[in-house]
Amino acid sequence: MDKPAICGGNPIRDTKIFYGHQYIDEADIQAVVDVLRSDYLTCGPKITELEEKLCQITGAKYAVVCSNGTAALHLACMAAGVTVGDEVITTPITFAASANCALYCGAKPVFADINEETYNIDPANVEALTNEKTKAVVAVDFTGQSVELDRLTEHCRKHNLVLIEDGAHVIGTRYNGKCNGSIADMTTLSFHPVKTVTCGEGGAVLTNSEEYYKKLILYRAHGITRAPEQMEHEPDGAWYYEQIALGMNYRLTDIQAALLISQLNKLPAFSKRRKEIVKAYNEAFLKLPQIIVQKEIPESDTTRHLYILRLNRERLKIDRKQFFEALAAENICCNVHYIPTYYFPYYEKLGYKRGLCPKAEKLYEEIISLPLYYAMTDQDVQDVIGAVTKISEYYGI
Ligand SMILES: *Cc1c(COP(=O)(O)O)cnc(C)c1O
C-alpha cells in the first residue's frame, strides 16, 4: 500500500491544486475592455442587458443585479418587509451572510437543522420553528443542490411567509425541470470568483413579483425615484428626483456586468464539466467505506458549486483535521464549508449556544470541500481521487 505523503511517502502530485478557481478567457477580457472604451462605467446599457440575460437563462420574470450576494440577500429581506421583532429561519450550514441579512433588518435569525443526507435545510424543522413572529425563510441551496422547494413553498404560502432562496451556489440547477430562480418568491445569486460564474464581486435577486421588483430597484439605489407617479411633490424641473425610502448604494458597474454576460455564455460548458467531475468523484468514493457521498434528490438536476467529502469516522483512524492535513501534504489544498454560523463569537454574544442543530454540528466535524472547478484537467481529478483513496485506505479500519 502506498504511504501518504504526510508520513513520508511521495505526494500524489508536485504542484498544488486549490478547491476553487475562476475561469477567465479572452472573450471575458475583451468584454471588459470594450466597456472601458465606452461612455458608461456604471448605470449603463450592460446592466439592462445582463438583467435580461439572467431572466432569459433562469425563466424568472425580473432580475435586479447588485454589488454582491450579501447585498442581494439584504435587498431581498428589505423587499420582503423583514423588520424589528421579526424572525427569519435559515440554516447554520452556510456562509454567514444568509443569517446576517436578517440582523441587518433588525430581525432575529432562527436556525433550523439540516437533513443529514442532503445537508440542506430540513423542511420539517422549518415547520416546527414557525410561529407568529416568523416573517421569512432563507433557504440555501447548499453545494448547488436545490432545497425541497415544493414543501417549503407550500409551508410559506400557508403561513404567509416570504420564501427567499439563497441561491449563491445554485446557478445552472433545475428543480422539477424549472430553473432555480423562477420558483421561490425571491432567489439571490452571488458572482464571487469561487462561484460557478463570476464578475469579481456581484449579485442578483430574481423574482416573478412586480411588487418585489419595484422595491428591489428602489432599495438598490438610495430609495431614490425619478418616476413622477411615485413622487409626493410636483417636480421642480427635468433634473428633479425624490428619495421616498431609505435605500443603499448596491449598484453593480457596467464593467462587471459585461464580464458576467460573457461568463454566462459559458454557463452550459461550466455546468457540464462540473457534472462530469462530480460523477467521477461519486463513482470513486461510493467504493470507499470510509467516505459518505452526499445524497442527491431526484427533483434536483444539480450543477454543483461545491463537492463535499464526508468522512465516515467509524471507519477511519484519523479525524477531519488529520485527513485535511494529509490531503494538503499530497498538494490537494481543500477548504471546509461551513463552520455553523452560530459558532461565531458575534452570534455567541447574541446568545446562540452550541447544541442548537445537532445534525449540522455533526456534519461540520466530518466534511472537507474538494477541488471542483471548470478548468480542472482529468489528471487533476484523478489526483484528487488518488489522494482521497490512498489516505482512506491507509487509515481505514
Ligand atoms: C458566497 C455566498 C454568499 C455571499 O455572496 P457574496 O457575493 O460573497 O457577498 C451568501 N450565501 C452563500 C451560501 C454563499 O456561498
Coordinates of all heavy atoms in Angstrom, one line a residue, residues 68-71 73 94-95 97-98 140 166 168-169 190-192 195 201-202 305 338, ligand 1:
N68 N -23.1 42.5 -4.7 CA -22.6 41.2 -4.3 C -23.8 40.4 -3.8 O -24.9 40.9 -3.6 CB -21.5 41.3 -3.2 CG -21.9 42.2 -2.0 OD1 -22.8 41.8 -1.3 ND2 -21.3 43.3 -1.9
G69 N -23.5 39.1 -3.4 CA -24.6 38.2 -3.0 C -25.1 38.6 -1.6 O -26.3 38.3 -1.3
T70 N -24.3 39.2 -0.8 CA -24.7 39.7 0.5 C -25.7 40.8 0.4 O -26.8 40.9 1.0 CB -23.5 40.1 1.4 OG1 -22.6 39.0 1.4 CG2 -23.9 40.5 2.8
A71 N -25.4 41.8 -0.5 CA -26.3 42.9 -0.8 C -27.6 42.3 -1.4 O -28.7 42.8 -1.0 CB -25.6 43.8 -1.8
L73 N -29.0 39.5 -0.6 CA -29.8 39.0 0.5 C -30.4 40.1 1.3 O -31.6 40.0 1.8 CB -28.9 38.1 1.4 CG -28.6 36.7 0.9 CD1 -27.4 36.1 1.6 CD2 -29.9 35.8 1.0
T94 N -24.0 27.3 6.1 CA -23.9 28.3 5.0 C -22.9 29.4 5.4 O -22.3 29.4 6.5 CB -25.3 28.9 4.9 OG1 -25.3 29.9 3.8 CG2 -25.8 29.7 6.1
F95 N -22.7 30.3 4.4 CA -21.9 31.4 4.7 C -22.7 32.4 5.6 O -23.9 32.4 5.5 CB -21.6 32.1 3.4 CG -20.6 33.3 3.5 CD1 -19.4 33.1 4.0 CD2 -21.0 34.5 3.1 CE1 -18.5 34.2 4.1 CE2 -20.2 35.6 3.2 CZ -18.9 35.4 3.7
A97 N -23.6 35.3 5.7 CA -24.5 36.3 5.1 C -25.9 35.9 5.1 O -26.8 36.7 5.2 CB -24.1 36.6 3.6
S98 N -26.2 34.5 5.0 CA -27.6 34.0 5.0 C -28.3 34.4 6.3 O -29.5 34.5 6.2 CB -27.6 32.5 4.8 OG -26.7 32.1 3.8
V140 N -31.0 27.9 1.8 CA -29.7 27.9 1.0 C -29.6 26.6 0.2 O -29.7 25.5 0.8 CB -28.5 28.0 2.0 CG1 -27.2 28.0 1.2 CG2 -28.7 29.2 2.8
D166 N -31.5 31.4 -1.0 CA -30.1 31.9 -1.1 C -29.5 31.0 -2.1 O -29.1 29.8 -1.8 CB -29.4 31.9 0.2 CG -27.9 32.3 0.1 OD1 -27.4 32.4 -1.0 OD2 -27.3 32.6 1.1
A168 N -26.8 31.3 -3.9 CA -25.4 31.6 -4.2 C -24.6 30.5 -4.9 O -23.7 30.7 -5.7 CB -24.6 32.0 -3.0
H169 N -25.1 29.2 -4.6 CA -24.4 28.0 -5.2 C -25.2 27.5 -6.4 O -24.8 26.5 -7.0 CB -24.3 26.9 -4.2 CG -23.6 27.3 -2.9 ND1 -23.5 26.4 -1.9 CD2 -23.0 28.4 -2.6 CE1 -22.8 27.0 -0.9 NE2 -22.5 28.2 -1.3
S190 N -24.9 34.9 -6.2 CA -23.6 35.6 -6.0 C -22.6 35.3 -7.1 O -22.6 34.2 -7.7 CB -23.0 35.0 -4.7 OG -21.6 35.4 -4.6
F191 N -21.8 36.3 -7.5 CA -20.9 36.1 -8.5 C -19.4 36.3 -8.1 O -18.6 36.9 -8.8 CB -21.2 37.0 -9.7 CG -22.7 36.9 -10.1 CD1 -23.5 38.0 -10.1 CD2 -23.2 35.7 -10.6 CE1 -24.9 37.9 -10.4 CE2 -24.5 35.6 -10.9 CZ -25.4 36.6 -10.9
H192 N -19.2 35.9 -6.8 CA -17.8 35.9 -6.3 C -16.9 34.9 -7.1 O -17.5 33.9 -7.6 CB -17.9 35.5 -4.8 CG -16.6 35.4 -4.1 ND1 -15.8 34.4 -4.1 CD2 -16.0 36.4 -3.3 CE1 -14.7 34.6 -3.4 NE2 -14.8 35.8 -2.9
K195 N -17.6 31.1 -7.1 CA -18.9 30.6 -7.5 C -18.8 30.2 -9.0 O -17.8 30.4 -9.7 CB -19.9 31.7 -7.3 CG -20.0 32.3 -5.9 CD -20.5 31.3 -4.9 CE -20.1 31.6 -3.4 NZ -20.7 32.7 -2.8
E201 N -16.9 40.8 -8.0 CA -17.9 40.8 -7.0 C -19.2 41.1 -7.7 O -19.2 41.9 -8.6 CB -17.7 42.0 -6.0 CG -16.4 41.9 -5.1 CD -16.6 41.0 -3.9 OE1 -17.7 40.5 -3.6 OE2 -15.6 40.8 -3.1
G202 N -20.3 40.5 -7.3 CA -21.6 40.8 -7.9 C -22.7 39.9 -7.3 O -22.4 38.9 -6.7
H305 N -21.7 23.5 -7.1 CA -20.7 24.5 -6.9 C -19.6 24.0 -6.0 O -18.4 24.3 -6.1 CB -21.4 25.8 -6.2 CG -20.5 26.6 -5.4 ND1 -19.3 27.2 -5.9 CD2 -20.5 27.0 -4.1 CE1 -18.7 27.9 -5.0 NE2 -19.4 27.8 -3.9
Y338 N -19.5 24.4 5.9 CA -19.2 25.6 6.5 C -19.0 25.4 8.0 O -19.6 24.5 8.6 CB -20.3 26.7 6.3 CG -20.4 27.2 4.9 CD1 -21.3 26.6 4.0 CD2 -19.6 28.2 4.5 CE1 -21.4 27.0 2.7 CE2 -19.7 28.7 3.2 CZ -20.6 28.1 2.3 OH -20.7 28.6 1.0
Ligands
LIG1 C1 -20.9 33.4 -1.4 C2 -22.2 33.3 -0.6 C3 -22.9 34.4 -0.1 C4 -22.4 35.8 -0.2 O1 -22.1 36.2 -1.5 P1 -21.1 37.4 -1.7 O2 -21.2 37.7 -3.2 O3 -19.7 36.9 -1.3 O4 -21.5 38.5 -0.9 C5 -24.1 34.2 0.5 N1 -24.6 32.9 0.7 C6 -23.9 31.8 0.4 C7 -24.5 30.5 0.6 C8 -22.7 32.0 -0.3 O5 -22.0 30.9 -0.6

